[in-house]
């Protein structure tokens, strides 16, 4: 993944690594607590549905409502009865707090990217203000003129940050391709040594580095050829990662405004 998609998901990869180092164990426990509360609630729903479906008021041995389900109003009541609010609150607080730590770390790491994007955006805004704004003022009714500078500012900033992230993608692709290629080769060598009943020591030879650099070159060419995007049909599988990458970049761009 690092070797062939490191430049496509630079923010997501760093977020995962940061999250793992900052507080993954606490987050895992919090997620388990939420899962346990959800499991208890589901079990209660299932038991209540079974009770309703087994009701036989006329005593003929046949359930009156074999497909009955708990009404929504009663589901809300069961939720408040079964779920431990303190545990859920603590779990959500831990997850959200760790995410804020990750965002802070990402802001520090990608501060130059956002700053570069804002600088490029300011330059683009000056050009658009000089050449495009007069055209828009002629083309649009006067009542919309006050919105033109605002829209031009957002468009300029979006273009600037997009250019900056493209440059960052090239840097991240180079670094992650080398790192991912070496990791992939070393894992392969470890597996082959284990199959032969031997132990693999990476310091004994530089073959893994040489092979890793070769795979890194292949991964870099692949990313450049694909335009730092996931090609079809792989994007059918990786679209959740693309969505998370977009969300992280938007979060970093928005946080730079304050």
């Amino acid at each position: 993944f690092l070797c062939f998609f490191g430049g496509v998901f630079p923010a997501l990869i760093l977020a995962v690594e940061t999250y793992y180092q900052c507080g993954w164990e606490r987050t895992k426990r919090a997620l388990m607590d939420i899962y346990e509360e959800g499991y208890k609630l589901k079990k209660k729903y299932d038991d209540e549905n079974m009770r309703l479906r087994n009701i036989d008021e006329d005593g003929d041995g046949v359930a009156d409502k074999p497909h009955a389900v708990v009404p929504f109003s009663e589901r809300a009541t069961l939720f408040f009865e079964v779920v431990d609010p303190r545990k859920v609150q603590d779990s959500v607080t831990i997850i959200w707090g760790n995410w804020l730590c990750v965002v802070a770390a990402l802001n520090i790491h990608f501060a130059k990217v956002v700053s570069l994007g804002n600088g490029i955006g300011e330059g683009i805004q000056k050009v658009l203000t000089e050449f495009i704004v007069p055209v828009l003022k002629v083309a649009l009714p006067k009542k919309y003129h006050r919105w033109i500078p605002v829209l031009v500012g957002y468009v300029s900033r979006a273009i600037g940050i997009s250019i900056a992230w493209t440059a960052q993608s090239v840097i991240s692709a180079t670094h992650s391709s080398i790192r991912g290629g070496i990791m992939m080769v070393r894992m392969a060598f470890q597996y082959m040594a284990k199959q032969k009943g031997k132990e693999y020591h990476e310091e004994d030879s530089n073959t893994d580095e040489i092979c890793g650099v070769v795979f890194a070159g292949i991964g870099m060419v692949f990313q450049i050829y694909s335009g730092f995007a996931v090609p079809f049909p792989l994007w059918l599988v990786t679209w959740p990662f693309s969505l998370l990458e977009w969300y992280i970049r938007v979060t970093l761009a928005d946080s730079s405004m304050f």
Side-chain angles (χ1 to χ4, degrees):
F1 191 85
L2 285 174
C3 187
F4 294 96
F5 299 105
V8 183
F9 307 109
L12 178 60
I13 292 173
L14 182 61
V16 171
E17 292 180 345
T18 305
Y19 207 106
Y20 185 80
Q21 295 176 5
C22 286
W24 167 240
E25 291 299 326
R26 295 182 64 214
T27 301
K28 184 168 66 175
R29 290 195 297 268
L31 292 173
M32 287 301 301
D33 288 340
I34 293 177
Y35 172 80
E36 290 174 359
E37 294 301 308
Y39 181 80
K40 288 195 304 182
L41 182 62
K42 182 180 182 302
K43 188 174 184 302
K44 188 66 175 180
Y45 282 162
D46 293 340
D47 293 342
E48 190 65 16
N49 286 333
M50 186 64 65
R51 185 187 67 80
L52 293 176
R53 294 170 185 175
N54 290 332
I55 293 178
D56 182 15
E57 295 181 350
D58 53 13
D60 60 354
V62 179
D64 298 333
K65 299 178 180 179
H67 302 290
V69 294
V70 180
F72 178 79
S73 58
E74 294 187 18
R75 289 190 179 191
T77 302
L78 291 175
F79 174 85
F80 290 114
E81 289 179 356
V82 175
V83 174
D84 185 349
R86 179 63 63 182
K87 183 180 290 188
V88 173
Q89 181 187 25
D90 293 343
S91 299
V92 172
T93 301
I94 290 173
I95 295 172
W96 182 247
N98 287 338
W99 168 244
L100 292 179
C101 292
V102 171
V103 172
L106 292 176
N107 271 319
I108 296 173
H109 186 84
F110 291 117
K112 293 182 179 179
V113 178
V114 178
S115 178
L116 176 62
N118 287 331
I120 296 174
E122 290 177 0
I124 295 175
Q125 185 175 2
K126 292 179 181 179
V127 175
L128 295 181
T129 301
E130 183 176 355
F131 295 101
I132 303 299
V133 170
V135 177
L136 293 177
K137 287 184 177 180
V138 174
L140 297 176
K142 188 175 181 179
K143 59 182 178 180
Y144 299 131
H145 286 185
R146 61 178 181 172
W147 286 96
I148 294 176
V150 177
L151 294 177
V152 168
Y154 275 109
V155 171
S156 302
R157 187 166 173 270
I159 295 174
I161 291 181
S162 177
I163 294 173
W165 272 110
T166 301
Q168 178 61 42
S169 295
V170 176
I171 297 173
S172 298
T174 304
H175 175 262
S176 60
S177 294
I178 297 174
R179 181 182 174 193
I182 294 176
M183 289 174 59
M184 184 168 55
V185 171
R186 285 177 176 173
M187 290 179 65
F189 283 0
Q190 288 176 359
Y191 176 78
M192 290 188 293
K194 185 177 181 180
Q195 294 298 314
K196 296 178 181 179
K198 300 180 180 178
E199 291 187 2
Y200 170 73
H201 301 284
E202 57 189 47
E203 64 274 4
D204 292 343
S205 171
N206 60 355
T207 306
D208 51 352
E209 283 88 353
I210 296 174
C211 295
V213 171
V214 173
F215 278 102
I218 297 173
M220 190 66 187
V221 171
F222 172 80
Q223 293 181 76
I224 294 174
Y225 180 78
S226 61
F228 297 102
V230 181
F232 179 84
L234 294 178
W235 63 262
L236 296 173
V237 179
T238 61
W239 68 265
F241 301 140
S242 300
L243 185 62
L244 288 172
E245 176 73 17
W246 172 83
Y247 173 76
I248 293 172
R249 293 190 184 189
V250 171
T251 301
L252 295 176
D254 289 342
S255 62
S256 67
M257 297 176 60
F258 303 100

